mmCIF file of all heavy atoms in Angstrom:
data_model
loop_
_atom_site.group_PDB
_atom_site.id
_atom_site.type_symbol
_atom_site.label_atom_id
_atom_site.label_comp_id
_atom_site.label_asym_id
_atom_site.label_seq_id
_atom_site.Cartn_x
_atom_site.Cartn_y
_atom_site.Cartn_z
ATOM 1 N N MET A 1 -20.942 14.577 -0.476
ATOM 2 C CA MET A 1 -21.118 13.281 0.135
ATOM 3 C C MET A 1 -19.798 12.829 0.645
ATOM 4 O O MET A 1 -18.819 12.757 -0.082
ATOM 5 C CB MET A 1 -21.723 12.317 -0.870
ATOM 6 C CG MET A 1 -21.788 10.933 -0.421
ATOM 7 S SD MET A 1 -22.431 9.791 -1.624
ATOM 8 C CE MET A 1 -20.891 9.122 -2.231
ATOM 9 N N THR A 2 -19.743 12.403 1.886
ATOM 10 C CA THR A 2 -18.554 11.775 2.427
ATOM 11 C C THR A 2 -18.444 10.329 2.016
ATOM 12 O O THR A 2 -19.479 9.685 2.017
ATOM 13 C CB THR A 2 -18.561 11.889 3.981
ATOM 14 O OG1 THR A 2 -18.627 13.268 4.366
ATOM 15 C CG2 THR A 2 -17.343 11.284 4.587
ATOM 16 N N ALA A 3 -17.270 9.917 1.635
ATOM 17 C CA ALA A 3 -17.090 8.503 1.212
ATOM 18 C C ALA A 3 -17.545 7.527 2.357
ATOM 19 O O ALA A 3 -17.247 7.727 3.489
ATOM 20 C CB ALA A 3 -15.655 8.249 0.803
ATOM 21 N N GLU A 4 -18.349 6.587 1.927
ATOM 22 C CA GLU A 4 -18.727 5.500 2.912
ATOM 23 C C GLU A 4 -17.893 4.274 2.484
ATOM 24 O O GLU A 4 -17.923 3.810 1.344
ATOM 25 C CB GLU A 4 -20.194 5.082 2.638
ATOM 26 C CG GLU A 4 -21.116 5.642 3.676
ATOM 27 C CD GLU A 4 -22.529 5.188 3.414
ATOM 28 O OE1 GLU A 4 -22.794 3.999 3.311
ATOM 29 O OE2 GLU A 4 -23.369 6.095 3.201
ATOM 30 N N ILE A 5 -17.097 3.794 3.359
ATOM 31 C CA ILE A 5 -16.176 2.685 3.074
ATOM 32 C C ILE A 5 -16.556 1.511 3.994
ATOM 33 O O ILE A 5 -16.580 1.647 5.252
ATOM 34 C CB ILE A 5 -14.714 3.010 3.283
ATOM 35 C CG1 ILE A 5 -14.307 4.203 2.387
ATOM 36 C CG2 ILE A 5 -13.849 1.842 3.040
ATOM 37 C CD1 ILE A 5 -12.999 4.815 2.715
ATOM 38 N N THR A 6 -16.900 0.382 3.438
ATOM 39 C CA THR A 6 -17.237 -0.843 4.193
ATOM 40 C C THR A 6 -16.251 -1.941 3.836
ATOM 41 O O THR A 6 -16.021 -2.244 2.698
ATOM 42 C CB THR A 6 -18.685 -1.326 3.872
ATOM 43 O OG1 THR A 6 -19.568 -0.250 4.080
ATOM 44 C CG2 THR A 6 -19.052 -2.526 4.773
ATOM 45 N N ARG A 7 -15.663 -2.520 4.850
ATOM 46 C CA ARG A 7 -14.687 -3.556 4.638
ATOM 47 C C ARG A 7 -15.332 -4.908 5.118
ATOM 48 O O ARG A 7 -15.878 -4.946 6.234
ATOM 49 C CB ARG A 7 -13.372 -3.290 5.371
ATOM 50 C CG ARG A 7 -12.690 -2.107 4.821
ATOM 51 C CD ARG A 7 -11.598 -1.596 5.682
ATOM 52 N NE ARG A 7 -10.857 -0.492 5.095
ATOM 53 C CZ ARG A 7 -11.107 0.758 5.236
ATOM 54 N NH1 ARG A 7 -12.178 1.120 5.940
ATOM 55 N NH2 ARG A 7 -10.362 1.711 4.639
ATOM 56 N N ILE A 8 -15.231 -5.953 4.288
ATOM 57 C CA ILE A 8 -15.914 -7.230 4.578
ATOM 58 C C ILE A 8 -14.943 -8.424 4.421
ATOM 59 O O ILE A 8 -14.177 -8.515 3.524
ATOM 60 C CB ILE A 8 -17.084 -7.415 3.595
ATOM 61 C CG1 ILE A 8 -18.077 -6.204 3.631
ATOM 62 C CG2 ILE A 8 -17.813 -8.702 3.805
ATOM 63 C CD1 ILE A 8 -19.026 -6.182 2.515
ATOM 64 N N ILE A 22 -12.902 -7.845 0.741
ATOM 65 C CA ILE A 22 -13.781 -6.979 -0.032
ATOM 66 C C ILE A 22 -13.823 -5.544 0.590
ATOM 67 O O ILE A 22 -13.953 -5.451 1.829
ATOM 68 C CB ILE A 22 -15.239 -7.535 -0.075
ATOM 69 C CG1 ILE A 22 -15.211 -8.960 -0.636
ATOM 70 C CG2 ILE A 22 -16.111 -6.605 -0.878
ATOM 71 C CD1 ILE A 22 -16.472 -9.706 -0.355
ATOM 72 N N THR A 23 -13.746 -4.562 -0.281
ATOM 73 C CA THR A 23 -13.974 -3.198 0.169
ATOM 74 C C THR A 23 -14.998 -2.591 -0.732
ATOM 75 O O THR A 23 -14.836 -2.575 -1.930
ATOM 76 C CB THR A 23 -12.648 -2.378 0.079
ATOM 77 O OG1 THR A 23 -11.635 -3.054 0.895
ATOM 78 C CG2 THR A 23 -12.876 -0.986 0.639
ATOM 79 N N VAL A 24 -16.100 -2.076 -0.101
ATOM 80 C CA VAL A 24 -17.214 -1.491 -0.856
ATOM 81 C C VAL A 24 -17.152 0.000 -0.609
ATOM 82 O O VAL A 24 -17.058 0.407 0.539
ATOM 83 C CB VAL A 24 -18.544 -2.062 -0.450
ATOM 84 C CG1 VAL A 24 -19.665 -1.398 -1.198
ATOM 85 C CG2 VAL A 24 -18.575 -3.566 -0.638
ATOM 86 N N VAL A 25 -17.177 0.788 -1.625
ATOM 87 C CA VAL A 25 -17.133 2.236 -1.546
ATOM 88 C C VAL A 25 -18.286 2.931 -2.166
ATOM 89 O O VAL A 25 -18.649 2.614 -3.283
ATOM 90 C CB VAL A 25 -15.785 2.779 -2.190
ATOM 91 C CG1 VAL A 25 -15.752 4.287 -2.007
ATOM 92 C CG2 VAL A 25 -14.614 2.108 -1.620
ATOM 93 N N LYS A 26 -18.934 3.810 -1.399
ATOM 94 C CA LYS A 26 -19.964 4.677 -1.970
ATOM 95 C C LYS A 26 -19.304 6.061 -1.856
ATOM 96 O O LYS A 26 -19.257 6.631 -0.761
ATOM 97 C CB LYS A 26 -21.253 4.589 -1.147
ATOM 98 C CG LYS A 26 -22.325 5.435 -1.674
ATOM 99 C CD LYS A 26 -23.591 5.290 -0.828
ATOM 100 C CE LYS A 26 -24.684 6.217 -1.300
ATOM 101 N NZ LYS A 26 -25.874 6.081 -0.432
ATOM 102 N N ALA A 27 -18.785 6.536 -3.032
ATOM 103 C CA ALA A 27 -18.029 7.814 -2.935
ATOM 104 C C ALA A 27 -18.253 8.596 -4.218
ATOM 105 O O ALA A 27 -18.629 8.049 -5.268
ATOM 106 C CB ALA A 27 -16.564 7.465 -2.838
ATOM 107 N N GLY A 28 -18.062 9.910 -4.087
ATOM 108 C CA GLY A 28 -18.221 10.763 -5.257
ATOM 109 C C GLY A 28 -16.970 10.876 -6.071
ATOM 110 O O GLY A 28 -16.996 10.977 -7.264
ATOM 111 N N ARG A 29 -15.790 10.895 -5.388
ATOM 112 C CA ARG A 29 -14.543 11.062 -6.111
ATOM 113 C C ARG A 29 -13.519 10.026 -5.652
ATOM 114 O O ARG A 29 -13.493 9.660 -4.493
ATOM 115 C CB ARG A 29 -13.954 12.472 -5.842
ATOM 116 C CG ARG A 29 -14.810 13.597 -6.274
ATOM 117 C CD ARG A 29 -14.227 14.976 -6.056
ATOM 118 N NE ARG A 29 -13.540 15.113 -4.772
ATOM 119 C CZ ARG A 29 -12.373 15.710 -4.621
ATOM 120 N NH1 ARG A 29 -11.694 16.143 -5.631
ATOM 121 N NH2 ARG A 29 -11.794 15.782 -3.442
ATOM 122 N N THR A 30 -12.686 9.644 -6.600
ATOM 123 C CA THR A 30 -11.633 8.658 -6.336
ATOM 124 C C THR A 30 -10.307 9.176 -6.868
ATOM 125 O O THR A 30 -10.317 9.800 -7.945
ATOM 126 C CB THR A 30 -11.988 7.321 -7.056
ATOM 127 O OG1 THR A 30 -13.309 6.907 -6.612
ATOM 128 C CG2 THR A 30 -11.014 6.219 -6.680
ATOM 129 N N ALA A 31 -9.247 8.886 -6.134
ATOM 130 C CA ALA A 31 -7.874 9.225 -6.589
ATOM 131 C C ALA A 31 -7.126 7.945 -6.788
ATOM 132 O O ALA A 31 -7.169 6.996 -6.026
ATOM 133 C CB ALA A 31 -7.159 10.094 -5.567
ATOM 134 N N TYR A 32 -6.397 7.888 -7.927
ATOM 135 C CA TYR A 32 -5.540 6.798 -8.270
ATOM 136 C C TYR A 32 -4.111 7.203 -8.143
ATOM 137 O O TYR A 32 -3.682 8.015 -9.063
ATOM 138 C CB TYR A 32 -5.868 6.247 -9.611
ATOM 139 C CG TYR A 32 -7.292 5.825 -9.733
ATOM 140 C CD1 TYR A 32 -8.304 6.712 -10.142
ATOM 141 C CD2 TYR A 32 -7.669 4.508 -9.453
ATOM 142 C CE1 TYR A 32 -9.617 6.349 -10.225
ATOM 143 C CE2 TYR A 32 -9.006 4.123 -9.543
ATOM 144 C CZ TYR A 32 -9.962 5.053 -9.949
ATOM 145 O OH TYR A 32 -11.318 4.678 -10.064
ATOM 146 N N ARG A 74 -6.619 5.870 6.014
ATOM 147 C CA ARG A 74 -7.870 5.231 6.187
ATOM 148 C C ARG A 74 -8.782 5.343 4.994
ATOM 149 O O ARG A 74 -9.818 4.630 4.874
ATOM 150 C CB ARG A 74 -8.557 5.703 7.453
ATOM 151 C CG ARG A 74 -8.996 7.076 7.461
ATOM 152 C CD ARG A 74 -9.520 7.570 8.819
ATOM 153 N NE ARG A 74 -9.694 8.996 8.884
ATOM 154 C CZ ARG A 74 -10.850 9.598 8.582
ATOM 155 N NH1 ARG A 74 -11.872 8.922 8.187
ATOM 156 N NH2 ARG A 74 -10.943 10.876 8.640
ATOM 157 N N HIS A 75 -8.515 6.301 4.098
ATOM 158 C CA HIS A 75 -9.287 6.514 2.914
ATOM 159 C C HIS A 75 -8.892 5.591 1.740
ATOM 160 O O HIS A 75 -9.550 5.545 0.690
ATOM 161 C CB HIS A 75 -9.232 7.967 2.456
ATOM 162 C CG HIS A 75 -9.818 8.895 3.476
ATOM 163 N ND1 HIS A 75 -9.076 9.858 4.147
ATOM 164 C CD2 HIS A 75 -11.096 9.033 3.995
ATOM 165 C CE1 HIS A 75 -9.812 10.507 4.977
ATOM 166 N NE2 HIS A 75 -11.034 10.018 4.955
ATOM 167 N N VAL A 76 -7.817 4.874 1.911
ATOM 168 C CA VAL A 76 -7.337 3.928 0.851
ATOM 169 C C VAL A 76 -8.343 2.755 0.774
ATOM 170 O O VAL A 76 -8.673 2.159 1.778
ATOM 171 C CB VAL A 76 -5.934 3.463 1.079
ATOM 172 C CG1 VAL A 76 -5.510 2.360 0.147
ATOM 173 C CG2 VAL A 76 -4.970 4.629 1.036
ATOM 174 N N VAL A 77 -8.769 2.440 -0.432
ATOM 175 C CA VAL A 77 -9.683 1.337 -0.645
ATOM 176 C C VAL A 77 -9.089 0.168 -1.399
ATOM 177 O O VAL A 77 -9.725 -0.877 -1.457
ATOM 178 C CB VAL A 77 -11.019 1.827 -1.311
ATOM 179 C CG1 VAL A 77 -11.728 2.844 -0.375
ATOM 180 C CG2 VAL A 77 -10.679 2.426 -2.662
ATOM 181 N N ARG A 78 -7.915 0.300 -1.905
ATOM 182 C CA ARG A 78 -7.243 -0.764 -2.689
ATOM 183 C C ARG A 78 -5.772 -0.495 -2.706
ATOM 184 O O ARG A 78 -5.323 0.622 -2.896
ATOM 185 C CB ARG A 78 -7.784 -0.797 -4.102
ATOM 186 C CG ARG A 78 -7.144 -1.817 -4.960
ATOM 187 C CD ARG A 78 -7.761 -3.210 -4.849
ATOM 188 N NE ARG A 78 -7.233 -4.138 -5.869
ATOM 189 C CZ ARG A 78 -6.544 -5.226 -5.524
ATOM 190 N NH1 ARG A 78 -6.291 -5.523 -4.214
ATOM 191 N NH2 ARG A 78 -6.065 -6.052 -6.465
ATOM 192 N N SER A 79 -4.992 -1.535 -2.364
ATOM 193 C CA SER A 79 -3.568 -1.444 -2.507
ATOM 194 C C SER A 79 -2.951 -2.626 -3.202
ATOM 195 O O SER A 79 -3.468 -3.693 -3.081
ATOM 196 C CB SER A 79 -2.891 -1.213 -1.097
ATOM 197 O OG SER A 79 -3.102 -2.360 -0.307
ATOM 198 N N SER A 109 -7.838 -2.438 3.822
ATOM 199 C CA SER A 109 -8.791 -2.615 2.679
ATOM 200 C C SER A 109 -8.322 -3.720 1.837
ATOM 201 O O SER A 109 -7.340 -4.436 2.112
ATOM 202 C CB SER A 109 -8.890 -1.298 1.854
ATOM 203 O OG SER A 109 -9.501 -0.287 2.655
ATOM 204 N N ALA A 110 -8.992 -3.913 0.681
ATOM 205 C CA ALA A 110 -8.562 -4.917 -0.240
ATOM 206 C C ALA A 110 -7.120 -4.708 -0.626
ATOM 207 O O ALA A 110 -6.776 -3.555 -1.021
ATOM 208 C CB ALA A 110 -9.468 -4.896 -1.508
ATOM 209 N N THR A 131 -5.343 3.199 -4.357
ATOM 210 C CA THR A 131 -6.576 3.784 -4.837
ATOM 211 C C THR A 131 -7.325 4.348 -3.564
ATOM 212 O O THR A 131 -7.418 3.692 -2.588
ATOM 213 C CB THR A 131 -7.449 2.759 -5.509
ATOM 214 O OG1 THR A 131 -6.712 2.133 -6.591
ATOM 215 C CG2 THR A 131 -8.740 3.348 -6.089
ATOM 216 N N VAL A 132 -7.756 5.589 -3.696
ATOM 217 C CA VAL A 132 -8.331 6.321 -2.578
ATOM 218 C C VAL A 132 -9.716 6.797 -2.785
ATOM 219 O O VAL A 132 -9.972 7.438 -3.842
ATOM 220 C CB VAL A 132 -7.389 7.522 -2.240
ATOM 221 C CG1 VAL A 132 -7.805 8.246 -1.017
ATOM 222 C CG2 VAL A 132 -5.924 7.072 -2.142
ATOM 223 N N ALA A 133 -10.599 6.565 -1.868
ATOM 224 C CA ALA A 133 -11.909 7.214 -1.891
ATOM 225 C C ALA A 133 -11.812 8.573 -1.168
ATOM 226 O O ALA A 133 -11.532 8.629 0.018
ATOM 227 C CB ALA A 133 -12.952 6.352 -1.184
ATOM 228 N N LEU A 134 -11.875 9.622 -1.936
ATOM 229 C CA LEU A 134 -11.577 10.950 -1.391
ATOM 230 C C LEU A 134 -12.743 11.452 -0.487
ATOM 231 O O LEU A 134 -13.888 11.373 -0.812
ATOM 232 C CB LEU A 134 -11.391 11.983 -2.528
ATOM 233 C CG LEU A 134 -10.170 11.706 -3.384
ATOM 234 C CD1 LEU A 134 -10.123 12.696 -4.589
ATOM 235 C CD2 LEU A 134 -8.861 11.837 -2.566
ATOM 236 N N PRO A 135 -12.338 12.002 0.662
ATOM 237 C CA PRO A 135 -13.292 12.625 1.561
ATOM 238 C C PRO A 135 -13.715 13.959 0.971
ATOM 239 O O PRO A 135 -13.025 14.513 0.110
ATOM 240 C CB PRO A 135 -12.549 12.807 2.869
ATOM 241 C CG PRO A 135 -11.093 12.939 2.457
ATOM 242 C CD PRO A 135 -10.917 12.131 1.223
#
Side-chain angles (χ1 to χ4, degrees):
M1 172 182 101
T2 300
E4 258 180 59
I5 303 170
T6 305
R7 294 169 175 89
I8 303 167
I22 303 163
T23 303
V24 178
V25 181
K26 181 179 178 183
R29 298 182 320 134
T30 305
Y32 302 89
R74 65 186 171 91
H75 297 116
V76 171
V77 296
R78 175 86 173 117
S79 64
S109 292
T131 303
V132 184
L134 294 175

